[in-house]
Amino acid sequence: MIRASRGCVLHLGRLGRLGPVAALALALTACGDNGPDPDGDHDPADGGASASDAAANACLAEGATAEGTCRDGAVVRCVDGTRVETEDCGAGGACVVAAGGARCLGAEACAGVGPLGRCDGDLLWRCDGAPALTDCAAAGQVCGYIDDTAGYACVAAPAATPLVITGHVRWHDRALSPGMLAPPAAVPARGVMVSVLDSADTTLATVSTADDGSFTIRYAAPATAQVRVTAYSRSRATARPVRVRDASGYLHAQASPPFAAGATATVEILITEATGARAWNALDNMVRGMDVVRAHGVTTLSPLYVYWQAGSSTGSYYQSGDNSLHLDGDDGYDDVVALHEFGHYFQDEYSDSDNPGGAHDGSPADPRLAWGEGGATWIAIAIRGVPYYIDYAAGGGWSVELENRVHAASLTSSMSQNLSEWMVAEVMWDVSDGSADADADAMGPGTAPQVLAVLLGYLGGSHADRGRGGVDLVDWLDGWFLHHGNATCASMRTLLRDRYRFPYDFGGAAGPCP
Amino acid sequence: MRGISAVALAIAGCSSAAAPPAPRIVESTRIIESTPKVRSCKPEAPVALVAELVPIDARRARLTVQATPTAAVDALELALVLPAEVTLLDGAPALRTGAIGAGESRTLAATLRLDGRAADVAAVARVPVDGVVMARAATVHLGAEPPWLRSHTYALPDGELAREVRP
C-alpha cells in the first residue's frame, strides 16, 4: 500500500516523535500552508516559501530521500523531489536496503530462499522470520557459505578459496493427480548438498542449494586440476536432516562434466528420469514435510533415512528403530505414498501411534491400525492440500477421494469397533479443511494447524487412553476438545454421529459436551 | 573383371552402415510377480499378479497373466496395457468376472508382437474394496534393455557413500 503525504494526508504517527509543536509545524508545511505570500508569486524573498519548497520540506521533514529508507516495516521515499510516499511492506513482509535503495520484500520473496539463505551475486537473501536482503559488497564482503547450520552469509573475501562457481540443481518432477502423471518439468532441488571434487574424488568444498536450486560455492584448487560439481540426494541442513539412498546404501549423485579449475564459473545440473529424478522427488517430499513440521513449532528434527531404487520391490514402509523410510521402486513419483510414510515418521518422532502393522486394504480394521494409517494419510493430504490418496502405477493406479466420500462406522457398535483407515483420514480432513471445505461439512472453522496441535501437543505427550487400548481416533478426539475447548461440540456431534455414524461419547478429559 | 567386382563389393561392404539387429522380444521365459508386500505399510489391493512371458520367436511371445485375490472380492477386472509398439495377435486384452473368493484365480492369455525396439507391457488387476476400486500392476519389459548408466562410487568425507552418475 502506498500513501502519498501531500496536501493534508498526514503521518501523525511518525510526526508524533518530534513533539507536538514541531510536528504541527511540519504538518502544516507538508499541507502547503506556508504563511503569507503577499504578491502570490511564491518568491522566497517574500518571506513565504514556494509550493515546491514546501513539498521539498515535506521530504526533509520526514527524512525521505529518492533512494528511500526503511521505517517501521515501510519504505519511505521522496518521489519526484516533491512528495513523500510511504509503502507499507505488509504482514510477513519487510523493508530492506540494498543495491542503493530501499524496497519492500513480500513473504513470497522467501519462496526461493529456504532456511540456509541464498546468494544472488554478493546480495545475501535470508528469511529467518521475515525476508532480509543485504548487500555484502557494501561492507567490503562477499556472499558465501559458512556451514550447514548458518548457511549463506556475508563473509570476508576469502583469500584461501579464490575460485567461485554458481549455478542451479534441478530435477524432473512429474505432477501427480488421480490416474496420471504429468509430463516431466524441471523444478529446483531445494536444500540439496553440492560439492566440488577433484579427479581423485577429494571434496574441495560443500554447500547446500537454496530453495530456488541455486548455489554459490567457493573453493581452491591448482589451475591444472580437473574438478567437477556434484549434487547429492541429501539435505545437510539441521532444519531438514534427510538423505535418500539406493538399496545398497549409496546416496544418489549426479556430476557435471569435469573442467579445469577456475575455467568454469557456472554449472547447471539437471537430473532426469533416466538419471534418477525419482530419488530427488522422494527427497523433496521429505523436505516439504519437514518444513511443515518445523512451521508448527518443532525446532529440532530427527534425521530421516530414505531408501529408493528403480526396480526395487521392497514395498513402501517406515521403520521406527532406525528412522528409515523405504519406498518401493514403483513409488518414486508417488508423492502421496511418500508423504504417507513421512506421516509415520511424524507419528513416531513427534506424536503417537500403536499401529500393529500388517497388510491392509482400507476395509474396517483394528482401530489402532486405522488410526496409524488414516492419520498418516491425513498428514500426506494436509501437506499437499489435496484430499486424494493416490497410488500411481502402470495403467493409472488407483485413488480415493477423501472429501466427499464417507466410509462410515456403526452407531450401534462401540467406540472400539474396527474402522476404515479412510474414515479416520476423512474425519481429520473434514475437521481441518476450513476455507477449503468443498462438502460443507459440519466442522467448517477447523484448520490443519489445529489438528496438528492435537497431534503434537496432546498425543505427542502423555495422554489418556480411551476407546481401544492404544492410540486410536477416540484419543485424538479427546485431545481435540482438551486443546480447543467444547465450542465445537455441536458441529463435531453432527460430523461424527450423523455423517460418519461413529459412536464417540464426548466423554474425554475436557468434560462433557453441552 | 572378377577382381573389379570383388573390390566393388568390398567398398560396398565397408561403406554401408549395417542396421543393428532388431532386439529379441525376450531372450528366455520371464516371470514377473506383484503381490501384497508383507512389510508394506501402504494400503494395497488384495490381489496377487503373476505374469509369464514365453518367447515364440524373435518378435513374438506368449503372455499369460494370473490374478489371485488374497481376500474375497465382489469383482475382478484383469487388463493389458499395450503401448503402440506392441500388437495383440490373439487373445483378449481384458477380462471381467464377478465375485470370487480368496485364493481363486483368473487367467488372461495373449500373443504379442513387438514392432519397435523396446516397450513395457503392463497387466493390471482391479478389485473393489469397501467402495474403492484398488489396482495392482505387473510390468514386463520387452525388447532392448534401457541403456546402461555408467556410475562411479566413492566415500564422502563423513563416510557416507555415494553412487555418482555423469550423463
Side-chain angles (χ1 to χ4, degrees), chain A residues 38 158 267 301 319:
Chain A
V267 169
L301 289 161
Q319 189 166 281

Side-chain angles (χ1 to χ4, degrees), chain A residues 425-487:
Chain A
E426 288 161 355
V427 167
M428 295 176 77
W429 178 263
D430 280 344
V431 171
S432 67
D433 59 0
S435 59
D437 192 353
D439 64 355
D441 59 68
M443 272 299 294
T447 64
Q450 287 180 309
V451 171
L452 280 164
V454 179
L455 295 175
L456 290 162
Y458 181 68
L459 293 182
S462 61
H463 56 85
D465 183 7
R466 299 199 312 128
R468 173 77 153 81
V471 184
D472 61 6
L473 178 63
V474 173
D475 300 319
W476 179 80
L477 290 168
D478 287 352
W480 174 266
F481 291 110
L482 207 54
H483 255 253
H484 302 304
N486 287 344

Side-chain angles (χ1 to χ4, degrees), chain A residues 174-230:
Chain A
R174 297 190 64 182
L176 177 72
S177 57
M180 67 173 293
L181 289 177
V187 298
R190 299 185 288 175
V192 306
M193 173 183 173
V194 177
S195 294
V196 179
L197 300 97
D198 65 16
S199 55
D201 297 333
T202 302
T203 300
L204 305 178
T206 296
V207 300
S208 297
T209 59
D211 279 11
D212 65 350
S214 67
F215 64 87
T216 297
I217 188 164
R218 298 177 184 280
Y219 70 106
T224 55
Q226 286 287 300
V227 299
R228 65 187 189 275
V229 175
T230 299

Side-chain angles (χ1 to χ4, degrees), chain A residues 96-107:
Chain A
V96 297
V97 179
R103 59 175 159 143
C104 277
L105 292 180

Side-chain angles (χ1 to χ4, degrees), chain A residues 362-384:
Chain A
S363 55
D366 184 315
R368 297 169 302 168
L369 185 145
W371 168 253
E373 300 299 338
T377 292
W378 179 80
I379 292 283
I381 63 176
I383 289 172
R384 280 170 51 86

Side-chain angles (χ1 to χ4, degrees), chain A residues 245-265:
Chain A
R245 296 167 168 160
D246 66 18
S248 302
Y250 290 79
L251 291 177
H252 301 262
Q254 182 165 320
S256 71
F259 53 90
T264 297

